Amino acid sequence: MSESKSFLSGCKGLSLSADEKAFFRSERPWGFILFGRNIGEPAQVADLTAEMRDCVGGGADVPVLIDQEGGRVQRIRPPHVQQYPNAAALGAIYRADAEKGLRAAWLMSRLHAFDLLRLGINVDCLPVLDVAVPGVHDVIGNRAYGQEPEIVSVMGKAAAEGLKAGGLLPIMKHMPGHGRTMVDSHHDLPVVHASRAELEACDFVPFRRMKDELMAMSAHIVFTAIDADNPATTSATVVSEIIRGHIGFDGLLMSDDVSMNALKGDIAARSRGIIAAGLDMVLHCHGIIEEMIAVAENVPPLTGDSLRRANAVRAGFPTPDGADEAALREEFNAMIAVA
């Protein structure tokens, strides 16, 4: 069986096409990601995730990701799961009562794990560890727990622990910090002019606190104090000096979506730039087969430190704690109703 390549892929619809199956079997992405377009009935989602794993000859340890945060970034919605609050609402609970806020963050993640694991989804792209500055663009906005590094750090840690208690793995995002963006990186390249000292005192703090997690996602942002020419995702300087150096993260580092227009060049050039910067994985989300082929043709098989980190993830899926879902859901819903 051939080894996995250094990318994760989405797909177009509710099931895999013949072309997608052939592509996945041939190119062997390390993992997959789902979006709202892939979500129908629960049985359909479970069939889709099983189909994905079958294509790469893997079992339950093949990573299948989703962005299930709460608020407006929640790919699976009612009636299949409840509508969850956004991170800012949880941060508000914390500011009123720290213990209650931490419990709310843990509970919501633990409920996400119940929702997702039964569908074959084993990774949630959570927590958002971006420290929001006043006026931050809505691309982050209320997805952030707050404007204080300490609150973001402890709430992010609680969220990650809740996922792991339910058998899922978290992905920290958007490393080394997306909270100062004033434009939407899906369409434009954010440029941050804060000094390195300011960044180290604020933006980088939550990531340093959680540096021992197994996975993180990069930020498509230029930090002029560190590398004025390249966004973090394609900056060898940011990756080596800040993410691997100052933050001390030695886990698996994947890009944010390679299709986002904050990155320059075509998909092939972007993919090569991501790997050249020292990231372990290219993430492609849109399910456009021509772009998927371009990614696969421009990333290497997993080797060296990237293979070590990828294997640590696949060996690191926790055993669910056996908690009572109904009891936890009742506790959480009572908590947010009062808030």
Side-chain angles (χ1 to χ4, degrees):
M1 185 179 294
S2 59
E3 58 201 341
S4 297
K5 280 190 171 180
S6 303
F7 76 108
L8 302 99
S9 185
C11 68
K12 195 67 176 175
L14 299 177
S15 62
L16 297 183
S17 69
D19 286 347
E20 287 171 335
K21 288 179 182 178
F23 171 78
F24 293 147
R25 286 173 179 147
S26 170
E27 298 298 339
R28 298 188 58 77
W30 178 74
F32 302 93
I33 188 165
L34 301 184
F35 283 83
R37 66 178 183 271
N38 308 123
I39 306 302
E41 295 297 321
Q44 168 269 320
V45 181
D47 287 345
L48 176 57
T49 59
E51 224 179 1
M52 288 171 154
R53 291 189 168 98
D54 180 66
C55 285
V56 296
D61 63 343
V62 173
V64 178
L65 287 56
I66 199 165
D67 294 294
Q68 191 77 349
E69 298 174 15
R72 59 192 167 82
V73 181
Q74 180 174 323
R75 310 304 186 198
I76 307 177
R77 293 184 172 274
H80 306 305
V81 304
Q82 74 179 77
Q83 179 62 51
Y84 292 99
N86 58 45
L90 299 182
I93 296 173
Y94 179 92
R95 283 187 290 276
D97 183 328
E99 184 177 352
K100 186 176 177 182
L102 294 174
R103 180 64 175 168
W106 186 93
L107 281 169
M108 190 168 88
S109 284
R110 184 64 188 87
L111 295 175
H112 285 326
F114 280 121
D115 296 337
L116 299 176
L117 199 60
R118 62 173 62 105
L119 303 177
I121 300 165
N122 57 3
V123 178
D124 194 356
C125 301
L126 190 72
V128 176
L129 295 184
D130 304 317
V131 181
V133 300
V136 65
H137 190 279
D138 285 346
V139 71
I140 298 300
N142 59 21
R143 298 170 66 193
Y145 294 107
Q147 299 180 7
E148 305 87 353
E150 177 63 24
I151 292 178
V152 173
S153 298
V154 295
M155 291 291 280
K157 181 68 171 175
E161 293 302 319
L163 292 175
K164 290 187 284 187
L168 267 66
L169 285 176
I171 296 180
M172 302 179 287
K173 61 187 186 186
H174 305 80
M175 191 178 277
H178 207 311
R180 293 179 188 269
T181 182
M182 298 300 163
V183 300
D184 185 348
S185 53
H186 292 86
H187 306 294
D188 300 292
L189 176 61
V191 178
V192 169
H193 298 286
S195 69
R196 180 160 174 170
E198 289 175 291
L199 295 167
E200 289 182 359
C202 182
D203 306 57
F204 302 164
V205 170
F207 295 103
R208 288 194 75 183
R209 297 272 188 90
M210 295 183 65
K211 66 180 182 180
D212 294 328
E213 297 297 334
L214 292 174
M215 288 183 282
M217 182 182 292
S218 69
H220 296 339
I221 294 183
V222 168
F223 297 94
T224 58
I226 302 158
D227 182 346
D229 298 321
N230 301 287
T233 298
T234 55
S235 170
T237 303
V238 172
V239 173
S240 62
E241 290 187 13
I242 303 302
I243 293 176
R244 301 300 187 195
H246 174 77
I247 289 172
F249 176 67
D250 188 39
L252 186 139
L253 181 62
M254 68 183 67
S255 71
D256 203 344
D257 182 15
V258 66
S259 302
M260 292 165 64
N261 288 326
L263 302 180
K264 61 186 177 183
D266 60 17
I267 295 293
R270 295 175 188 184
S271 299
R272 291 192 298 270
I274 288 165
I275 297 298
L279 276 73
D280 302 299
M281 295 279 172
V282 173
L283 174 65
H284 184 269
C285 296
H286 284 196
I288 299 170
I289 192 75
E290 294 81 10
E291 292 186 359
M292 293 153 61
I293 292 168
V295 172
E297 288 178 344
N298 287 279
V299 300
L302 283 166
T303 58
D305 284 338
S306 293
L307 179 60
R308 170 180 60 80
R309 293 169 184 138
N311 286 341
V313 171
R314 292 187 65 161
F317 284 102
T319 301
D321 58 10
D324 182 330
E325 178 179 357
L328 294 185
R329 201 169 291 280
E330 181 179 2
E331 179 187 357
F332 178 71
N333 287 334
M335 187 177 289
I336 61 173
V338 172

